[in-house]
Amino acid sequence: MKPIKLICCLQRFTPLCVVALLGFLEYSFSYEFSYKCVHPRSASIGLIVIFNVLLTLIFGLWFAVLYSGPGFIECQIPPYDLDSFFKNGQKYIKDQQKGDCSAKNYEIVTHKELLSVPDMFICNFQGLPGWCTTCKSLKLTRAHHSSSCNRCVITMDHFCTFLGGVIGQKNYGMFLGLIVLMNFICLFSFISIFSLRKSVNGTHPTTIICVIGCITFFGMVTNLILQNLLQIRHNETTIEQLAKGDIKRAYRRIKKKGIYEKDHLKRIATYVNLKHPSIEGIRLVVPLTVDDYPYDTGSFIENFRCRTSRRHASLFQDKKVIAVASHQEVSKLFAEKLLERIHKHEIEVTIFGKESIET
């Protein structure tokens, strides 16, 4: 079996395995432990009711995550109007080579059918934004194309194999609530069994398996929650974190193997395209490091609101509001710090137009 087919099979059957495990937990905790072993009956009923309420909430949120969806871009977004800036960059470089260093502005020709260019946006080493060849649309607001949905997802975080769905801007808040509830039901089951173990007559083998399963699952989900909290701290998605991991590994390979790896690093690194601070019609391309967080607002609460707000998911269904929303892509705090680093010559800058556009 090919690796891709194997992954597809796992994606289909993993959610069923999770449902089976929750069903086993329901049987072992509610029936074998609470109903058969716990006395008085009022305490037994209380445990069963609380457990099943939590379990119902888990399945309800699970359904909501899948039904709501991650949030899709419903329209085709035209490219940024970068043609004039690219040509101006080439002219600027030629003027500099000729020794013409006089300060002057360059003409900008706009096209109505193209999207207005934000002051700053994330790009590749050529200075170009992401483009989805499948959807024939510009990628905005950290959008990524989901192969499982065959559509571009707004602020896509990851595909959750355990839930069987894509997590994005629209359902990320519900996803967080779901994993917290899963952790809570494991903790509740473990504490209940551990605290009442002396008052029950005998322990059924399924109860012991239930305890082991709760401890294992609690550890896994706790790690997932902490990972998401660290990502929210810098307003970073799982995809962006994995991309930084690729860059770090590329850095390590450069140190071991030599200079020829630098071209690979150049292509996978993240860049920012921004307008020149003083010359009209010229834009700069600036590389970012793995310690840069372009979407970080500086506040955990504000980052949390940004990641979990469903309001942002509705901004990209109409071309009229896309231009406005795209200007809010990079945080103001990061933009100010980046401009300060440029003014202090602490970072390498390239004129947009220096790198040839490859198709």
Side-chain angles (χ1 to χ4, degrees):
M1 182 178 290
K2 294 182 179 180
I4 295 177
K5 290 185 177 180
L6 179 61
I7 292 172
C8 291
C9 290
L10 289 174
Q11 289 178 350
R12 291 178 182 176
F13 291 106
T14 302
L16 296 178
C17 294
V18 175
V19 172
L21 288 172
L22 290 173
F24 176 79
L25 185 60
E26 158 71 13
Y27 166 76
S28 60
F29 181 85
S30 296
Y31 182 71
E32 292 294 347
F33 175 73
S34 299
Y35 182 75
K36 282 188 173 182
C37 302
V38 176
H39 300 285
R41 184 57 63 191
S42 58
S44 172
I45 294 173
L47 289 175
I48 294 172
V49 168
I50 294 173
F51 182 87
N52 281 274
V53 167
L54 291 173
L55 194 61
T56 302
L57 289 174
I58 285 174
F59 280 111
L61 267 178
W62 191 342
F63 174 78
V65 166
L66 299 180
Y67 181 78
S68 174
F72 303 108
I73 296 179
E74 303 292 351
C75 61
Q76 287 184 325
I77 306 174
Y80 282 140
D81 195 358
L82 290 167
D83 185 56
S84 293
F85 295 103
F86 183 80
K87 292 178 180 177
N88 291 343
Q90 292 180 321
K91 291 179 184 177
Y92 177 83
I93 293 170
K94 289 179 180 178
D95 291 341
Q96 294 293 306
Q97 291 173 346
K98 292 177 182 178
D100 183 7
C101 300
S102 58
K104 60 179 179 180
N105 295 326
Y106 291 81
E107 182 183 1
I108 303 173
V109 179
T110 59
H111 302 83
K112 293 182 179 180
E113 68 275 11
L114 300 180
L115 205 64
S116 61
V117 187
D119 292 343
M120 187 179 295
F121 64 88
I122 304 300
C123 63
N124 62 9
F125 72 99
Q126 296 171 319
L128 301 177
W131 177 263
C132 181
T133 55
T134 304
C135 298
K136 301 293 188 294
S137 176
L138 189 72
K139 290 183 180 179
L140 288 177
T141 318
R142 308 145 85 181
H144 292 273
H145 187 84
S146 169
S147 57
S148 60
C149 302
N150 198 30
R151 297 164 78 181
C152 280
V153 174
I154 304 169
T155 317
M156 181 173 170
D157 191 82
H158 68 289
F159 178 89
C160 184
T161 305
F162 294 100
L163 301 183
V166 178
I167 307 303
Q169 180 70 59
K170 198 173 181 180
N171 60 4
Y172 184 72
M174 291 181 285
F175 168 75
L176 290 179
L178 177 59
I179 59 178
V180 169
L181 267 178
M182 284 185 169
N183 229 20
F184 188 75
I185 199 172
C186 290
L187 188 63
F188 172 77
S189 303
F190 173 76
I191 292 175
S192 299
I193 296 172
F194 187 80
S195 60
L196 297 173
R197 70 189 189 284
K198 294 180 180 179
S199 61
V200 299
N201 297 322
T203 303
H204 196 272
T206 56
T207 305
I208 298 173
I209 297 172
C210 176
V211 172
I212 297 172
C214 285
I215 294 172
T216 304
F217 204 66
F218 180 81
M220 292 172 58
V221 178
T222 298
N223 179 63
L224 181 61
I225 292 172
L226 292 175
Q227 182 181 348
N228 277 271
L229 290 176
L230 288 173
Q231 290 172 0
I232 292 172
R233 179 187 173 189
H234 297 295
N235 198 357
E236 191 175 46
T237 65
T238 301
I239 289 178
E240 291 160 358
Q241 191 179 62
L242 292 174
K244 286 187 175 182
D246 291 338
I247 295 173
K248 289 177 181 178
R249 286 189 289 273
Y251 272 120
R252 288 195 291 267
R253 287 198 299 269
I254 287 174
K255 291 180 180 179
K256 290 181 179 179
K257 296 185 178 180
I259 302 175
Y260 67 92
E261 283 279 349
K262 286 187 177 181
D263 184 60
H264 173 65
L265 176 61
K266 176 182 176 182
R267 292 174 179 272
I268 67 171
T270 306
Y271 295 78
V272 166
N273 185 316
L274 70 155
K275 67 177 185 179
H276 198 286
S278 57
I279 305 176
E280 185 68 25
I282 299 297
R283 297 187 69 91
L284 304 175
V285 179
V286 182
L288 301 183
T289 68
V290 291
D291 297 320
D292 287 321
Y293 301 95
Y295 312 105
D296 188 3
T297 63
S299 166
F300 181 86
I301 300 299
E302 190 60 33
N303 288 341
F304 182 82
R305 288 175 180 171
C306 181
R307 289 299 312 279
T308 58
S309 174
R310 294 166 63 92
R311 175 178 60 85
H312 296 290
S314 62
L315 292 176
F316 295 90
Q317 318 312 323
D318 188 351
K319 293 180 182 179
K320 295 180 180 179
V321 296
I322 286 172
V324 177
S326 63
H327 284 254
Q328 304 170 353
E329 188 176 356
V330 178
S331 72
K332 293 181 180 179
L333 178 66
F334 174 78
E336 291 172 359
K337 289 182 177 179
L338 185 64
L339 288 173
E340 185 179 350
R341 287 160 62 187
I342 292 173
H343 285 305
K344 292 181 178 179
H345 303 286
E346 295 177 352
I347 191 169
E348 179 187 357
V349 297
T350 304
I351 300 296
F352 176 58
K354 182 179 180 180
E355 292 281 355
S356 59
I357 304 300
E358 299 176 0
T359 56

